[in-house]
Amino acid sequence: ISRASFDKNIKLLEIILKRLSNEASPLKIVFAGSGPEEEYLRGLSERYDNFHYLGAISEQQKKWLLSACEKFIFLPRMFSY
């Protein structure tokens, strides 16, 4: 759940997805959010069975998604705190 932009380090997702695919991992990654890298994320969703791009979601959907997931990946390029 993030803005789909370069500063959120979403390019690292492809490295993670490749590794998961090579290891035949049952893990699935779901990305929710909108921004300038949406086309890139849609492409990842088409190339990897273990990746799902939802686009923009509502606050209610966000709460459900967070409560339903086992892990939360945080990949920022820089920390501001």
Short mmCIF file of all heavy atoms in Angstrom, two decimals, residues 11-67:
data_model
loop_
_atom_site.label_atom_id
_atom_site.label_comp_id
_atom_site.label_asym_id
_atom_site.label_seq_id
_atom_site.Cartn_x
_atom_site.Cartn_y
_atom_site.Cartn_z
N LYS A 11 11.20 -0.71 -7.95
CA LYS A 11 12.01 -1.50 -8.88
C LYS A 11 12.62 -2.71 -8.17
O LYS A 11 12.90 -3.72 -8.79
CB LYS A 11 13.12 -0.65 -9.51
CG LYS A 11 12.62 0.57 -10.26
CD LYS A 11 11.93 0.21 -11.54
CE LYS A 11 11.54 1.48 -12.27
NZ LYS A 11 10.84 1.27 -13.49
N LEU A 12 12.82 -2.62 -6.86
CA LEU A 12 13.33 -3.75 -6.08
C LEU A 12 12.33 -4.91 -6.08
O LEU A 12 12.71 -6.06 -5.89
CB LEU A 12 13.64 -3.29 -4.65
CG LEU A 12 14.24 -4.31 -3.70
CD1 LEU A 12 15.55 -4.86 -4.26
CD2 LEU A 12 14.48 -3.67 -2.34
N LEU A 13 11.07 -4.63 -6.31
CA LEU A 13 10.05 -5.69 -6.36
C LEU A 13 10.39 -6.75 -7.40
O LEU A 13 10.18 -7.94 -7.16
CB LEU A 13 8.68 -5.09 -6.69
CG LEU A 13 7.87 -4.51 -5.57
CD1 LEU A 13 6.59 -3.90 -6.11
CD2 LEU A 13 7.54 -5.55 -4.52
N GLU A 14 10.90 -6.33 -8.54
CA GLU A 14 11.19 -7.31 -9.59
C GLU A 14 12.28 -8.28 -9.15
O GLU A 14 12.22 -9.47 -9.43
CB GLU A 14 11.57 -6.64 -10.90
CG GLU A 14 11.65 -7.63 -12.03
CD GLU A 14 11.43 -7.03 -13.40
OE1 GLU A 14 11.50 -5.80 -13.54
OE2 GLU A 14 11.19 -7.81 -14.31
N ILE A 15 13.26 -7.79 -8.43
CA ILE A 15 14.32 -8.66 -7.90
C ILE A 15 13.72 -9.67 -6.94
O ILE A 15 14.03 -10.87 -6.99
CB ILE A 15 15.42 -7.81 -7.21
CG1 ILE A 15 16.13 -6.95 -8.25
CG2 ILE A 15 16.41 -8.70 -6.47
CD1 ILE A 15 17.01 -5.87 -7.67
N ILE A 16 12.85 -9.20 -6.07
CA ILE A 16 12.19 -10.09 -5.10
C ILE A 16 11.32 -11.11 -5.83
O ILE A 16 11.35 -12.30 -5.51
CB ILE A 16 11.35 -9.26 -4.10
CG1 ILE A 16 12.27 -8.39 -3.24
CG2 ILE A 16 10.48 -10.15 -3.24
CD1 ILE A 16 11.55 -7.33 -2.43
N LEU A 17 10.56 -10.66 -6.82
CA LEU A 17 9.68 -11.56 -7.56
C LEU A 17 10.46 -12.63 -8.32
O LEU A 17 10.06 -13.80 -8.35
CB LEU A 17 8.79 -10.76 -8.52
CG LEU A 17 7.72 -9.91 -7.85
CD1 LEU A 17 7.13 -8.93 -8.85
CD2 LEU A 17 6.64 -10.78 -7.24
N LYS A 18 11.58 -12.26 -8.91
CA LYS A 18 12.42 -13.23 -9.62
C LYS A 18 12.92 -14.30 -8.65
O LYS A 18 12.90 -15.49 -8.96
CB LYS A 18 13.62 -12.53 -10.28
CG LYS A 18 13.27 -11.82 -11.55
CD LYS A 18 14.50 -11.17 -12.14
CE LYS A 18 14.13 -10.33 -13.35
NZ LYS A 18 15.28 -9.62 -13.91
N ARG A 19 13.37 -13.85 -7.50
CA ARG A 19 13.88 -14.81 -6.51
C ARG A 19 12.77 -15.75 -6.04
O ARG A 19 12.96 -16.95 -5.93
CB ARG A 19 14.50 -14.09 -5.33
CG ARG A 19 15.01 -15.10 -4.29
CD ARG A 19 15.93 -14.50 -3.32
NE ARG A 19 17.19 -14.24 -3.98
CZ ARG A 19 18.25 -13.74 -3.37
NH1 ARG A 19 18.17 -13.41 -2.11
NH2 ARG A 19 19.36 -13.54 -4.01
N LEU A 20 11.60 -15.19 -5.75
CA LEU A 20 10.47 -16.03 -5.33
C LEU A 20 10.08 -17.02 -6.41
O LEU A 20 9.76 -18.18 -6.12
CB LEU A 20 9.27 -15.16 -4.96
CG LEU A 20 9.38 -14.33 -3.69
CD1 LEU A 20 8.15 -13.43 -3.53
CD2 LEU A 20 9.56 -15.21 -2.46
N SER A 21 10.11 -16.59 -7.67
CA SER A 21 9.77 -17.48 -8.78
C SER A 21 10.79 -18.60 -8.92
O SER A 21 10.43 -19.75 -9.15
CB SER A 21 9.69 -16.70 -10.08
OG SER A 21 8.61 -15.80 -10.04
N ASN A 22 12.07 -18.26 -8.77
CA ASN A 22 13.13 -19.26 -8.89
C ASN A 22 13.07 -20.29 -7.77
O ASN A 22 13.46 -21.43 -7.95
CB ASN A 22 14.51 -18.59 -8.90
CG ASN A 22 14.75 -17.81 -10.16
OD1 ASN A 22 14.12 -18.04 -11.19
ND2 ASN A 22 15.67 -16.87 -10.11
N GLU A 23 12.58 -19.88 -6.62
CA GLU A 23 12.50 -20.79 -5.48
C GLU A 23 11.15 -21.49 -5.40
O GLU A 23 10.90 -22.24 -4.46
CB GLU A 23 12.74 -20.01 -4.18
CG GLU A 23 14.13 -19.42 -4.09
CD GLU A 23 14.33 -18.52 -2.87
OE1 GLU A 23 13.37 -18.37 -2.08
OE2 GLU A 23 15.43 -17.98 -2.73
N ALA A 24 10.29 -21.26 -6.37
CA ALA A 24 8.94 -21.83 -6.38
C ALA A 24 8.24 -21.56 -5.04
O ALA A 24 7.59 -22.42 -4.47
CB ALA A 24 8.98 -23.32 -6.68
N SER A 25 8.36 -20.35 -4.57
CA SER A 25 7.75 -19.95 -3.29
C SER A 25 6.25 -19.79 -3.42
O SER A 25 5.76 -19.29 -4.43
CB SER A 25 8.36 -18.62 -2.84
OG SER A 25 7.68 -18.14 -1.71
N PRO A 26 5.51 -20.19 -2.39
CA PRO A 26 4.06 -20.00 -2.41
C PRO A 26 3.64 -18.57 -2.04
O PRO A 26 2.46 -18.24 -2.09
CB PRO A 26 3.57 -21.00 -1.36
CG PRO A 26 4.69 -21.07 -0.38
CD PRO A 26 5.94 -20.92 -1.21
N LEU A 27 4.60 -17.73 -1.68
CA LEU A 27 4.27 -16.36 -1.28
C LEU A 27 3.74 -15.55 -2.45
O LEU A 27 4.20 -15.69 -3.58
CB LEU A 27 5.50 -15.66 -0.71
CG LEU A 27 6.07 -16.22 0.59
CD1 LEU A 27 7.34 -15.48 0.96
CD2 LEU A 27 5.05 -16.11 1.70
N LYS A 28 2.80 -14.68 -2.16
CA LYS A 28 2.23 -13.77 -3.15
C LYS A 28 2.45 -12.35 -2.65
O LYS A 28 2.38 -12.07 -1.47
CB LYS A 28 0.74 -14.03 -3.31
CG LYS A 28 0.40 -15.46 -3.66
CD LYS A 28 -0.26 -15.52 -5.00
CE LYS A 28 -0.73 -16.90 -5.32
NZ LYS A 28 0.19 -17.73 -5.98
N ILE A 29 2.72 -11.45 -3.58
CA ILE A 29 2.89 -10.04 -3.24
C ILE A 29 1.74 -9.27 -3.88
O ILE A 29 1.44 -9.43 -5.06
CB ILE A 29 4.25 -9.50 -3.73
CG1 ILE A 29 5.38 -10.20 -2.99
CG2 ILE A 29 4.33 -7.99 -3.55
CD1 ILE A 29 6.77 -9.79 -3.44
N VAL A 30 1.11 -8.44 -3.07
CA VAL A 30 0.00 -7.61 -3.53
C VAL A 30 0.41 -6.16 -3.34
O VAL A 30 0.84 -5.77 -2.25
CB VAL A 30 -1.30 -7.91 -2.75
CG1 VAL A 30 -2.42 -6.99 -3.18
CG2 VAL A 30 -1.69 -9.37 -2.91
N PHE A 31 0.30 -5.34 -4.39
CA PHE A 31 0.64 -3.93 -4.31
C PHE A 31 -0.62 -3.12 -4.58
O PHE A 31 -1.29 -3.32 -5.58
CB PHE A 31 1.71 -3.57 -5.35
CG PHE A 31 2.28 -2.19 -5.19
CD1 PHE A 31 3.52 -2.01 -4.61
CD2 PHE A 31 1.57 -1.08 -5.60
CE1 PHE A 31 4.05 -0.74 -4.46
CE2 PHE A 31 2.08 0.19 -5.46
CZ PHE A 31 3.33 0.36 -4.88
N ALA A 32 -0.91 -2.22 -3.68
CA ALA A 32 -2.06 -1.32 -3.85
C ALA A 32 -1.55 0.11 -3.81
O ALA A 32 -0.77 0.47 -2.93
CB ALA A 32 -3.08 -1.56 -2.76
N GLY A 33 -1.98 0.92 -4.74
CA GLY A 33 -1.59 2.33 -4.79
C GLY A 33 -1.54 2.80 -6.23
O GLY A 33 -1.53 2.01 -7.16
N SER A 34 -1.51 4.10 -6.39
CA SER A 34 -1.45 4.67 -7.74
C SER A 34 -0.30 5.66 -7.82
O SER A 34 0.23 6.09 -6.80
CB SER A 34 -2.77 5.38 -8.07
OG SER A 34 -3.00 6.42 -7.14
N GLY A 35 0.10 5.97 -9.03
CA GLY A 35 1.20 6.91 -9.22
C GLY A 35 1.86 6.70 -10.57
O GLY A 35 1.37 5.93 -11.41
N PRO A 36 2.99 7.37 -10.79
CA PRO A 36 3.63 7.35 -12.10
C PRO A 36 4.18 6.00 -12.55
O PRO A 36 4.42 5.80 -13.72
CB PRO A 36 4.76 8.38 -11.97
CG PRO A 36 4.92 8.64 -10.52
CD PRO A 36 3.66 8.26 -9.84
N GLU A 37 4.36 5.04 -11.65
CA GLU A 37 4.90 3.73 -12.02
C GLU A 37 3.83 2.66 -12.19
O GLU A 37 4.12 1.47 -12.18
CB GLU A 37 5.94 3.29 -10.98
CG GLU A 37 7.15 4.18 -10.89
CD GLU A 37 8.02 4.13 -12.14
OE1 GLU A 37 8.00 3.12 -12.86
OE2 GLU A 37 8.72 5.13 -12.40
N GLU A 38 2.59 3.07 -12.37
CA GLU A 38 1.49 2.09 -12.51
C GLU A 38 1.70 1.16 -13.71
O GLU A 38 1.44 -0.04 -13.60
CB GLU A 38 0.15 2.80 -12.63
CG GLU A 38 -0.32 3.40 -11.34
CD GLU A 38 -1.69 4.03 -11.47
OE1 GLU A 38 -2.66 3.27 -11.66
OE2 GLU A 38 -1.78 5.26 -11.38
N GLU A 39 2.15 1.67 -14.82
CA GLU A 39 2.36 0.83 -16.00
C GLU A 39 3.42 -0.24 -15.72
O GLU A 39 3.26 -1.40 -16.11
CB GLU A 39 2.79 1.70 -17.19
CG GLU A 39 2.87 0.93 -18.48
CD GLU A 39 3.14 1.83 -19.67
OE1 GLU A 39 2.62 2.96 -19.70
OE2 GLU A 39 3.85 1.37 -20.56
N TYR A 40 4.47 0.14 -15.02
CA TYR A 40 5.52 -0.82 -14.64
C TYR A 40 4.92 -1.92 -13.76
O TYR A 40 5.19 -3.11 -13.96
CB TYR A 40 6.65 -0.08 -13.91
CG TYR A 40 7.70 -0.99 -13.34
CD1 TYR A 40 8.64 -1.60 -14.17
CD2 TYR A 40 7.74 -1.26 -11.98
CE1 TYR A 40 9.61 -2.45 -13.64
CE2 TYR A 40 8.71 -2.09 -11.45
CZ TYR A 40 9.63 -2.69 -12.28
OH TYR A 40 10.58 -3.53 -11.76
N LEU A 41 4.09 -1.55 -12.79
CA LEU A 41 3.48 -2.52 -11.89
C LEU A 41 2.50 -3.43 -12.63
O LEU A 41 2.43 -4.63 -12.35
CB LEU A 41 2.78 -1.80 -10.74
CG LEU A 41 3.74 -1.11 -9.76
CD1 LEU A 41 2.97 -0.18 -8.84
CD2 LEU A 41 4.52 -2.13 -8.97
N ARG A 42 1.77 -2.89 -13.58
CA ARG A 42 0.86 -3.72 -14.38
C ARG A 42 1.67 -4.76 -15.17
O ARG A 42 1.26 -5.92 -15.31
CB ARG A 42 0.05 -2.87 -15.34
CG ARG A 42 -1.11 -2.18 -14.68
CD ARG A 42 -2.05 -1.52 -15.71
NE ARG A 42 -2.86 -0.54 -15.05
CZ ARG A 42 -2.59 0.77 -14.99
NH1 ARG A 42 -1.54 1.26 -15.60
NH2 ARG A 42 -3.39 1.59 -14.33
N GLY A 43 2.81 -4.34 -15.68
CA GLY A 43 3.69 -5.27 -16.40
C GLY A 43 4.20 -6.38 -15.51
O GLY A 43 4.25 -7.55 -15.92
N LEU A 44 4.58 -6.04 -14.28
CA LEU A 44 5.02 -7.07 -13.33
C LEU A 44 3.89 -8.05 -13.07
O LEU A 44 4.11 -9.26 -12.98
CB LEU A 44 5.46 -6.44 -12.01
CG LEU A 44 6.76 -5.66 -11.98
CD1 LEU A 44 7.03 -5.12 -10.58
CD2 LEU A 44 7.93 -6.52 -12.44
N SER A 45 2.69 -7.53 -12.94
CA SER A 45 1.52 -8.38 -12.67
C SER A 45 1.28 -9.36 -13.82
O SER A 45 0.85 -10.49 -13.59
CB SER A 45 0.30 -7.49 -12.44
OG SER A 45 -0.79 -8.24 -12.01
N GLU A 46 1.57 -8.94 -15.03
CA GLU A 46 1.40 -9.82 -16.20
C GLU A 46 2.51 -10.86 -16.28
O GLU A 46 2.29 -11.98 -16.74
CB GLU A 46 1.36 -9.00 -17.48
CG GLU A 46 0.12 -8.14 -17.60
CD GLU A 46 0.17 -7.18 -18.77
OE1 GLU A 46 1.14 -7.24 -19.59
OE2 GLU A 46 -0.74 -6.35 -18.89
N ARG A 47 3.72 -10.50 -15.84
CA ARG A 47 4.87 -11.41 -15.95
C ARG A 47 5.00 -12.40 -14.80
O ARG A 47 5.59 -13.47 -14.98
CB ARG A 47 6.16 -10.60 -16.05
CG ARG A 47 6.33 -9.91 -17.38
CD ARG A 47 7.74 -9.38 -17.58
NE ARG A 47 8.21 -8.46 -16.58
CZ ARG A 47 7.98 -7.15 -16.55
NH1 ARG A 47 7.23 -6.59 -17.48
NH2 ARG A 47 8.49 -6.38 -15.61
N TYR A 48 4.49 -12.05 -13.63
CA TYR A 48 4.68 -12.91 -12.45
C TYR A 48 3.34 -13.34 -11.88
O TYR A 48 2.52 -12.51 -11.52
CB TYR A 48 5.48 -12.16 -11.38
CG TYR A 48 6.89 -11.84 -11.81
CD1 TYR A 48 7.21 -10.60 -12.34
CD2 TYR A 48 7.90 -12.78 -11.69
CE1 TYR A 48 8.50 -10.31 -12.74
CE2 TYR A 48 9.20 -12.50 -12.10
CZ TYR A 48 9.49 -11.26 -12.61
OH TYR A 48 10.76 -10.98 -13.01
N ASP A 49 3.17 -14.64 -11.75
CA ASP A 49 1.93 -15.18 -11.18
C ASP A 49 1.79 -14.86 -9.70
O ASP A 49 0.68 -14.86 -9.18
CB ASP A 49 1.88 -16.70 -11.36
CG ASP A 49 1.74 -17.11 -12.81
OD1 ASP A 49 1.23 -16.30 -13.61
OD2 ASP A 49 2.15 -18.23 -13.15
N ASN A 50 2.89 -14.61 -9.03
CA ASN A 50 2.86 -14.37 -7.59
C ASN A 50 2.76 -12.87 -7.23
O ASN A 50 2.96 -12.49 -6.08
CB ASN A 50 4.06 -15.00 -6.90
CG ASN A 50 5.39 -14.50 -7.44
OD1 ASN A 50 5.45 -13.87 -8.48
ND2 ASN A 50 6.46 -14.80 -6.73
N PHE A 51 2.45 -12.03 -8.22
CA PHE A 51 2.32 -10.59 -7.98
C PHE A 51 0.97 -10.10 -8.49
O PHE A 51 0.58 -10.40 -9.63
CB PHE A 51 3.44 -9.82 -8.68
CG PHE A 51 3.37 -8.33 -8.46
CD1 PHE A 51 3.69 -7.78 -7.24
CD2 PHE A 51 2.97 -7.49 -9.48
CE1 PHE A 51 3.61 -6.41 -7.03
CE2 PHE A 51 2.89 -6.12 -9.28
CZ PHE A 51 3.22 -5.57 -8.05
N HIS A 52 0.29 -9.34 -7.66
CA HIS A 52 -1.01 -8.78 -8.03
C HIS A 52 -1.00 -7.28 -7.78
O HIS A 52 -0.70 -6.84 -6.66
CB HIS A 52 -2.13 -9.43 -7.21
CG HIS A 52 -2.16 -10.91 -7.35
ND1 HIS A 52 -2.67 -11.55 -8.45
CD2 HIS A 52 -1.70 -11.88 -6.54
CE1 HIS A 52 -2.52 -12.85 -8.31
NE2 HIS A 52 -1.95 -13.08 -7.15
N TYR A 53 -1.30 -6.52 -8.81
CA TYR A 53 -1.38 -5.06 -8.69
C TYR A 53 -2.84 -4.66 -8.65
O TYR A 53 -3.60 -4.93 -9.58
CB TYR A 53 -0.66 -4.37 -9.84
CG TYR A 53 -0.80 -2.88 -9.80
CD1 TYR A 53 -0.35 -2.16 -8.71
CD2 TYR A 53 -1.41 -2.20 -10.84
CE1 TYR A 53 -0.50 -0.78 -8.66
CE2 TYR A 53 -1.56 -0.83 -10.81
CZ TYR A 53 -1.09 -0.13 -9.71
OH TYR A 53 -1.25 1.23 -9.65
N LEU A 54 -3.26 -4.01 -7.56
CA LEU A 54 -4.65 -3.62 -7.38
C LEU A 54 -4.97 -2.20 -7.82
O LEU A 54 -6.12 -1.86 -8.00
CB LEU A 54 -5.04 -3.77 -5.90
CG LEU A 54 -4.86 -5.15 -5.28
CD1 LEU A 54 -5.24 -5.12 -3.81
CD2 LEU A 54 -5.66 -6.19 -6.03
N GLY A 55 -3.96 -1.36 -7.95
CA GLY A 55 -4.22 0.06 -8.23
C GLY A 55 -4.69 0.77 -6.98
O GLY A 55 -4.43 0.33 -5.86
N ALA A 56 -5.39 1.87 -7.17
CA ALA A 56 -5.88 2.66 -6.02
C ALA A 56 -6.99 1.89 -5.31
O ALA A 56 -7.82 1.24 -5.96
CB ALA A 56 -6.41 4.00 -6.51
N ILE A 57 -6.98 1.94 -3.98
CA ILE A 57 -8.02 1.27 -3.20
C ILE A 57 -8.56 2.24 -2.16
O ILE A 57 -7.92 3.22 -1.80
CB ILE A 57 -7.50 -0.02 -2.52
CG1 ILE A 57 -6.35 0.28 -1.56
CG2 ILE A 57 -7.11 -1.06 -3.56
CD1 ILE A 57 -5.91 -0.92 -0.74
N SER A 58 -9.75 1.94 -1.65
CA SER A 58 -10.39 2.78 -0.64
C SER A 58 -9.77 2.54 0.75
O SER A 58 -9.04 1.56 0.94
CB SER A 58 -11.88 2.48 -0.58
OG SER A 58 -12.10 1.19 -0.03
N GLU A 59 -10.09 3.40 1.68
CA GLU A 59 -9.62 3.23 3.05
C GLU A 59 -10.13 1.91 3.63
O GLU A 59 -9.41 1.21 4.34
CB GLU A 59 -10.04 4.40 3.93
CG GLU A 59 -9.23 5.66 3.71
CD GLU A 59 -7.75 5.47 4.01
OE1 GLU A 59 -7.41 4.89 5.06
OE2 GLU A 59 -6.93 5.92 3.19
N GLN A 60 -11.37 1.58 3.35
CA GLN A 60 -11.95 0.33 3.85
C GLN A 60 -11.21 -0.88 3.26
O GLN A 60 -10.91 -1.83 3.97
CB GLN A 60 -13.43 0.26 3.50
CG GLN A 60 -14.12 -0.97 4.06
CD GLN A 60 -15.61 -0.98 3.76
OE1 GLN A 60 -16.14 -0.07 3.13
NE2 GLN A 60 -16.29 -2.01 4.20
N GLN A 61 -10.92 -0.83 1.97
CA GLN A 61 -10.17 -1.92 1.33
C GLN A 61 -8.76 -2.01 1.91
O GLN A 61 -8.22 -3.10 2.09
CB GLN A 61 -10.11 -1.69 -0.18
CG GLN A 61 -11.43 -1.88 -0.88
CD GLN A 61 -11.38 -1.40 -2.32
OE1 GLN A 61 -10.85 -0.33 -2.62
NE2 GLN A 61 -11.94 -2.20 -3.22
N LYS A 62 -8.16 -0.85 2.19
CA LYS A 62 -6.82 -0.81 2.77
C LYS A 62 -6.81 -1.51 4.14
O LYS A 62 -5.93 -2.32 4.43
CB LYS A 62 -6.37 0.64 2.92
CG LYS A 62 -4.92 0.80 3.29
CD LYS A 62 -4.54 2.25 3.50
CE LYS A 62 -4.85 3.13 2.32
NZ LYS A 62 -4.43 4.54 2.52
N LYS A 63 -7.79 -1.22 4.96
CA LYS A 63 -7.87 -1.85 6.28
C LYS A 63 -8.03 -3.36 6.15
O LYS A 63 -7.39 -4.13 6.85
CB LYS A 63 -9.04 -1.26 7.08
CG LYS A 63 -8.78 0.15 7.53
CD LYS A 63 -9.99 0.73 8.22
CE LYS A 63 -9.76 2.20 8.53
NZ LYS A 63 -10.95 2.83 9.11
N TRP A 64 -8.90 -3.79 5.22
CA TRP A 64 -9.09 -5.22 5.02
C TRP A 64 -7.81 -5.88 4.54
O TRP A 64 -7.40 -6.93 5.04
CB TRP A 64 -10.21 -5.49 4.01
CG TRP A 64 -10.37 -6.97 3.82
CD1 TRP A 64 -11.13 -7.82 4.56
CD2 TRP A 64 -9.69 -7.77 2.85
NE1 TRP A 64 -10.97 -9.10 4.10
CE2 TRP A 64 -10.09 -9.11 3.05
CE3 TRP A 64 -8.78 -7.50 1.83
CZ2 TRP A 64 -9.62 -10.17 2.28
CZ3 TRP A 64 -8.31 -8.56 1.05
CH2 TRP A 64 -8.73 -9.85 1.29
N LEU A 65 -7.13 -5.26 3.57
CA LEU A 65 -5.91 -5.82 3.01
C LEU A 65 -4.84 -5.97 4.08
O LEU A 65 -4.19 -7.02 4.18
CB LEU A 65 -5.41 -4.95 1.86
CG LEU A 65 -4.27 -5.48 1.02
CD1 LEU A 65 -4.63 -6.80 0.37
CD2 LEU A 65 -3.89 -4.46 -0.04
N LEU A 66 -4.67 -4.95 4.91
CA LEU A 66 -3.67 -5.03 5.97
C LEU A 66 -4.01 -6.10 7.00
O LEU A 66 -3.12 -6.78 7.52
CB LEU A 66 -3.50 -3.67 6.65
CG LEU A 66 -2.75 -2.63 5.82
CD1 LEU A 66 -2.84 -1.26 6.48
CD2 LEU A 66 -1.30 -3.03 5.62
N SER A 67 -5.28 -6.27 7.28
CA SER A 67 -5.67 -7.29 8.25
C SER A 67 -5.56 -8.70 7.67
O SER A 67 -5.42 -9.67 8.41
CB SER A 67 -7.09 -7.04 8.76
OG SER A 67 -8.04 -7.29 7.75
#
